Structures are given as structure tokens and as C-alpha cells.
Amino acid sequence: MTSKFIGKTLNEIQNLAKNTFAEIDLIQVDTKVTEVKKFDYKNNNINVKGRGGTNLYPAIEYIYQKKKNYDWIIIITDGDIEKDWNKEPKGKLIFILGQNDNLSLKLKRKFDIIKIGDNN
């Protein structure tokens, strides 16, 4: 994923947080959780941690370990992720992909996919 695509996506999340006053935890993960912090909708300068492989399941495990209950779980990805998860997160699950990206993930429950611009 390019920095431009990540920036566009974070801008959308920033607008959502600003308009709804939603409290957002930003969990960054590549092959492990690299950082967890509150998302500051007044400042969208995010230092991307990690990059490399893509294994999103450690973020899901983190949510379970901390016993966090989220209304929404928004995952920014290029779609190239592991196919099977042992547990499925609670809360509405939304994947944000680039326009040309695809996701093949088998979950027992419904999830939404939003495509934003392009990730070139």
C-alpha cells in the first residue's frame, strides 16, 4: 500500500471521527501489532509502523486479549492477507481497499468492503 492511499484512507477516518465524535483506536499491524494508540482526529499525521508482510490476525487477537468491544472494526489493507481466522471480531467489520484490490476472506458473518480511489 502506498503512503498516498494510506493518507486518503486516514483522511476519511478523520472525517468520520470529526463528524461523529467517535473514539477510535488505531491498531497498526504488519505481521504483529506494531503500535496501538488513540486516533487524534485533529491531527492525521500518522507514522506508519511496520510494513512488510501482512498478517492481520494479531490485531484481532489483541482485541480479544484486551476484551475490547468496538462498534466498528475498520481494516485498511491491500487485500493480500491470511485467509483463515480462528476467531472473528465482534462489531461491524469493514475492509477498506484500493480500487484495484480484491479480498478473499472466508468469514461466517457478513462484512463490508469499501474501495477508495486507487492505491498507485
Side-chain angles (χ1 to χ4, degrees):
M1 294 186 314
T2 66
S3 295
K4 182 178 175 182
F5 172 71
I6 292 170
K8 280 183 177 181
T9 304
L10 290 174
N11 281 336
E12 292 300 321
I13 293 171
Q14 180 183 25
N15 288 333
L16 173 70
K18 193 183 303 183
N19 293 325
T20 64
F21 301 103
E23 197 173 292
I24 298 174
D25 289 342
L26 180 63
I27 302 171
Q28 294 193 54
V29 61
D30 55 13
T31 58
K32 63 182 189 235
V33 173
T34 57
E35 182 176 72
V36 179
K37 70 179 195 175
K38 293 284 181 204
F39 183 80
D40 179 2
Y41 71 87
K42 295 175 187 168
N43 175 9
N44 70 346
N45 291 330
I46 304 295
N47 291 327
V48 176
K49 308 283 183 182
R51 295 234 175 157
T54 306
N55 185 354
L56 297 175
Y57 195 69
I60 304 306
E61 287 179 323
Y62 172 85
I63 292 168
Y64 273 97
Q65 288 171 356
K66 298 297 179 184
K67 297 185 171 115
K68 293 273 193 169
N69 290 318
Y70 292 106
D71 294 327
W72 299 347
I73 298 170
I74 302 171
I75 298 174
I76 305 167
T77 179
D78 59 7
D80 186 22
I81 62 173
E82 70 278 20
K83 306 297 182 231
D84 298 310
W85 292 355
N86 295 331
K87 294 180 184 175
E88 295 182 20
K90 297 174 184 169
K92 184 171 180 63
L93 189 57
I94 302 169
F95 290 89
I96 299 179
L97 301 162
Q99 197 63 41
N100 299 319
D101 293 333
N102 293 302
L103 177 71
S104 71
L105 177 65
K106 293 182 176 27
L107 295 178
K108 292 178 183 168
R109 63 191 189 93
K110 185 179 181 262
F111 56 87
D112 292 318
I113 295 176
I114 298 172
K115 292 199 172 190
I116 294 184
D118 68 60
N119 54 343
N120 297 327

